[in-house]
Amino acid sequence: MFNELFPNVKMDDVWVATYETFYMTLIALLGTFILGILLGLLLYLTSRGGLWQNKALNFIVASIVNVFRAIPFIILILLLFPFTDFIVGTIRGPNAALPALIIGSAPFYGRLVEIALREVDKGVVEAAKAMGAKTNTIILKVLLPESMPALVSGITVTGIALIGYTAIAGVIGAGGLGDFAYFYGFQRRSFDVVFVCTVLIVIIVFIFQFIGDSISNKLDKR
Amino acid sequence: MITIKDLSKVFSTKSKTISAVDNLSLEINKGEIFGVIGYSGAGKSTFIRLINRLEDPTDGQVVIDDENITLLNKKKLRVARQDIGMIFQHFNLLWSRTVEENISFPLEIAGVPKQERQERVHELIRLVGLAGREKAYPSELSGGQKQRVGIARALANNPKVLLCDEATSALDPETTDSILELLVNINEKLGLTIILITHEMHVIRKICHRVAVMDAGKVVEQGDVLDVFLHPQKQITKKFVEQIMGDKDQEDALDLLKEKYDSGKIVRLHFIGELTNQALISQVAKQYEIDINILQGKITQTQKGAYGSLFIHIDGDEEEIKRAIDYITSTSVEVEVIPYV
């Protein structure tokens, strides 16, 4: 039945591609999470009235974030070829996609982090200050825990965008379901392969959204 | 114990400068509950934030126990702040932490070891009457319970001073009373100095020993709560006193009373910080052959005793009435006989 409907689909290869998509997404997500939180914290802390209020630094960080968010992802990959080659040692395969994936999505997540931090009750930060808390303590014990549900839903949205990016990265040979659909499906006119890959990507997106939502809900005690 | 000298805070925007606190000086004694009352915009919120430097003063100084808070560097200020508890109108609890974790927070900041922290948290939970709610999140608590957590948290590091920023303004009257009782309790038990700001005169009346009235960044009047109640000097103070005592409208009703009675006497009794003569009316009624009819009045309790006035009608033999009035006059209650027209 399956072989009749999808004559060109070799499931062994599909699973490898699925694994690669997961691999790229998860590693890139981890990198994005760390880098994005750092960027978001910098944006928040250096803004007006922030704990490290600093107009110049805020302007620089905001500019970098905006520039990287403005570059279309496919072009960002090409621009980063020399950098990727230097860091990873190759410009092909799942690992080669990681720098572009992280640099492409961290600024986006950084903005989401900034928004999440702004939602933290100013009064709670003031209370922590009144208790004699250091800035580090305020960041680690007030700002991040109090914004955690928003940080998690932010990383969920970013993760889903990242799955899309991995598919684009496939075009330059990064591997994964996008790569597979393009080279084995589209270019060989095997549209059953494209269909199967699409369904798998949609399923992955659903899984991400579901996991993200349940973690966010569980964390939220408001 | 706390000396505030020439304290000023100026906020400048592009278009104008606003003097939120203007050359303010105060002395606050150890162990007293000191109230600052004023309308919103009077600068009292800024004032209380200047004490622990949540706002940095433009000028002047705050000295707590010989330590000049205004001169401390950032590091020393952080340590000094651990000795200054603060509670807030909107409680400012961390929603992500349970009751006990919230109370434990200032202890974590002060670097208290875990074992000690737990013991201290349990002690505090008992002190503020929240036993059994240790594992609850703030969203599961009522306003009054949240403020109790706030108070426990503020007391965690055994502060010298407790600052209360409109601590009861978001609570209903009944809850307000229970929180005020808790504050008095803490003040007496721990000998803690409390500075509170409010716009509600009954908060001052109920728990404060001394009060300062603030208007446009300045203290316009200050003194013992009772003195301020009895002899309000400034118009703004009179208005606050009226919040509790009602206004002069009462006097109009007096004419109606006079018409109603043709025998006996209408007498006005002033209770001023009365502690001893609380049972005056029944004493007089028992000792003298007279009838006493309470007409109208308002008496309120302050930290220094009862304060207010009462109109009564005394009827009976003229001589007996005179003796009764003489007796009342001999107590600390002031008597004023209202003449019939």
Side-chain angles (χ1 to χ4, degrees):
Chain A
M1 175 76 175
F2 185 83
N3 287 334
E4 280 164 35
L5 278 174
F6 306 101
N8 305 308
V9 177
K10 287 188 203 129
M11 282 318 283
D12 287 352
D13 293 343
V14 171
W15 292 134
V16 171
T18 310
Y19 164 77
E20 283 173 350
T21 293
F22 261 109
Y23 172 81
M24 281 189 287
T25 308
L26 288 179
I27 303 285
L29 205 55
L30 190 68
T32 302
F33 187 69
I34 295 167
L35 195 59
I37 284 187
L38 291 176
L39 284 173
L41 275 171
L42 262 180
L43 284 171
Y44 173 78
L45 293 170
T46 58
S47 64
R48 218 159 65 87
L51 292 166
W52 296 339
Q53 183 172 340
N54 185 328
K55 221 172 175 179
L57 188 56
N58 188 264
F59 179 77
I60 292 168
V61 178
S63 304
I64 293 174
V65 164
N66 290 343
V67 165
F68 277 96
R69 279 204 311 148
I71 302 174
F73 184 65
I74 186 83
I75 296 173
L76 184 69
I77 297 174
L78 304 177
L79 283 174
L80 285 177
F81 266 171
F83 177 71
T84 306
D85 197 16
F86 175 70
I87 297 265
V88 191
T90 171
I91 55 165
R92 294 194 58 81
N95 282 327
L98 292 176
L101 287 171
I102 293 171
I103 292 173
S105 53
F108 173 71
Y109 185 54
R111 282 292 182 195
L112 295 182
V113 171
E114 187 197 4
I115 294 169
L117 295 173
R118 284 195 193 289
E119 293 296 309
V120 174
D121 187 355
K122 296 265 182 311
V124 178
V125 176
E126 190 177 55
K129 275 195 222 166
M131 289 174 217
K134 294 185 194 127
T135 305
N136 280 346
T137 314
I138 294 179
I139 292 171
L140 292 175
K141 296 200 167 185
V142 180
L143 290 174
L144 293 180
E146 292 280 297
S147 61
M148 202 41 91
L151 294 182
V152 171
S153 33
I155 201 68
T156 309
V157 172
T158 313
I160 287 167
L162 258 175
I163 295 170
Y165 285 171
T166 63
I168 300 174
V171 176
I172 55 108
L177 287 165
D179 184 319
F180 197 75
Y182 183 72
F183 286 107
Y184 294 88
F186 180 73
Q187 291 203 334
R188 294 182 183 177
R189 297 281 179 269
S190 307
F191 288 105
D192 55 336
V193 174
V194 178
F195 181 77
V196 168
C197 289
T198 310
V199 169
L200 282 170
I201 287 179
V202 169
I203 291 173
I204 294 174
V205 167
F206 276 34
I207 292 173
F208 262 79
Q209 187 70 51
F210 177 76
I211 294 174
D213 285 351
S214 29
I215 295 177
S216 179
N217 283 336
K218 196 159 185 147
L219 288 173
D220 202 339
K221 310 286 186 195
R222 278 171 288 194
Chain B
M1 184 237 177
I2 301 176
T3 307
I4 292 155
K5 217 173 143 196
D6 304 327
L7 199 63
S8 296
K9 174 71 181 178
V10 179
F11 290 106
S12 6
T13 59
K14 272 175 198 157
S15 49
K16 56 183 172 182
T17 58
I18 299 158
S19 231
V21 172
D22 191 3
N23 248 315
L24 192 150
S25 298
L26 277 177
E27 284 280 340
I28 294 157
N29 304 324
K30 198 174 174 63
E32 80 175 338
I33 305 183
F34 192 93
V36 176
I37 190 165
Y39 290 113
S40 51
K44 54 193 192 313
S45 240
T46 308
F47 163 67
I48 203 158
R49 279 174 172 65
L50 289 172
I51 297 177
N52 61 359
R53 271 179 62 192
L54 283 176
E55 300 277 2
D56 269 312
T58 316
D59 205 5
Q61 50 187 11
V62 175
V63 181
I64 301 178
D65 269 354
D66 299 325
E67 190 172 38
N68 192 334
I69 302 291
T70 28
L71 291 180
L72 297 177
N73 62 24
K74 272 192 167 179
K75 208 170 164 187
K76 283 187 175 154
L77 175 63
R78 278 202 300 267
V79 177
R81 276 174 175 170
Q82 290 168 12
D83 279 338
I84 309 173
M86 187 167 192
I87 58 176
F88 304 86
Q89 177 173 9
H90 298 294
F91 325 123
N92 296 350
L93 304 178
L94 285 92
W95 62 257
S96 57
R97 287 176 170 237
T98 60
V99 167
E100 56 183 6
E101 288 166 348
N102 261 293
I103 298 173
S104 165
F105 188 37
L107 298 167
E108 289 168 29
I109 290 171
V112 177
K114 196 170 178 197
Q115 183 70 32
E116 250 173 79
R117 257 186 352 234
Q118 282 172 341
E119 284 165 21
R120 179 78 182 128
V121 166
H122 283 288
E123 217 174 282
L124 287 159
I125 283 177
R126 273 199 306 278
L127 176 72
V128 299
L130 278 176
R133 302 295 278 149
E134 292 88 344
K135 306 281 181 206
Y137 283 92
S139 60
E140 299 161 335
L141 302 177
S142 68
Q145 288 173 323
K146 283 182 199 163
Q147 196 57 290
R148 283 170 192 270
V149 179
I151 291 171
R153 184 176 71 173
L155 297 178
N157 285 321
N158 293 309
K160 295 183 260 191
V161 193
L162 178 65
L163 307 176
C164 308
D165 179 9
E166 295 273 10
T168 58
S169 300
L171 303 173
D172 62 59
E174 218 162 290
T175 317
T176 295
D177 284 352
S178 76
I179 293 294
L180 292 179
E181 267 164 40
L182 177 62
L183 289 177
V184 172
N185 197 340
I186 289 164
N187 167 258
E188 284 166 359
K189 222 190 249 174
L190 310 177
L192 184 70
T193 310
I194 299 179
I195 303 177
L196 66 87
I197 63 165
T198 181
H199 61 269
E200 296 169 306
M201 197 62 181
H202 79 265
V203 171
I204 302 282
R205 184 212 93 205
K206 228 179 152 190
I207 71 168
C208 291
H209 303 120
R210 287 200 303 144
V211 61
V213 182
M214 243 183 119
D215 189 26
K218 290 180 193 295
V219 168
V220 292
E221 196 165 342
Q222 62 166 310
D224 275 2
V225 168
L226 208 62
D227 281 341
V228 172
F229 262 90
L230 278 179
H231 312 291
Q233 305 293 320
K234 297 281 193 313
Q235 192 55 37
I236 182 172
T237 316
K238 285 177 187 158
K239 274 202 157 161
F240 278 122
V241 173
E242 276 172 18
Q243 269 186 14
I244 298 216
M245 296 315 299
D247 48 25
K248 299 293 174 198
D249 286 352
Q250 303 198 335
E251 315 265 303
D252 300 342
L254 211 58
D255 292 336
L256 290 174
L257 293 175
K258 288 176 195 164
E259 285 166 20
K260 242 171 114 180
Y261 298 98
D262 41 15
S263 65
K265 280 199 160 58
I266 293 177
V267 174
R268 179 186 196 157
L269 306 178
H270 283 291
F271 293 82
I272 304 162
E274 214 50 56
L275 290 170
T276 47
N277 285 308
Q278 304 272 14
L280 180 77
I281 301 286
S282 69
Q283 278 173 22
V284 173
K286 270 184 227 157
Q287 283 179 32
Y288 302 94
E289 277 293 310
I290 51 170
D291 290 318
I292 296 180
N293 187 11
I294 295 174
L295 302 175
Q296 71 170 33
K298 183 149 187 179
I299 293 177
T300 189
Q301 300 297 324
T302 71
Q303 281 284 301
K304 302 226 169 136
Y307 162 67
S309 62
L310 196 62
F311 287 94
I312 58 174
H313 178 247
I314 306 179
D315 210 350
D317 178 54
E318 203 140 312
E319 276 300 303
E320 195 71 359
I321 293 174
K322 196 177 169 303
R323 275 197 292 275
I325 290 174
D326 285 346
Y327 167 72
I328 302 171
T329 315
S330 73
T331 69
S332 55
V333 176
E334 279 178 28
V335 186
E336 181 187 349
V337 179
I338 310 285
Y340 289 157
V341 187

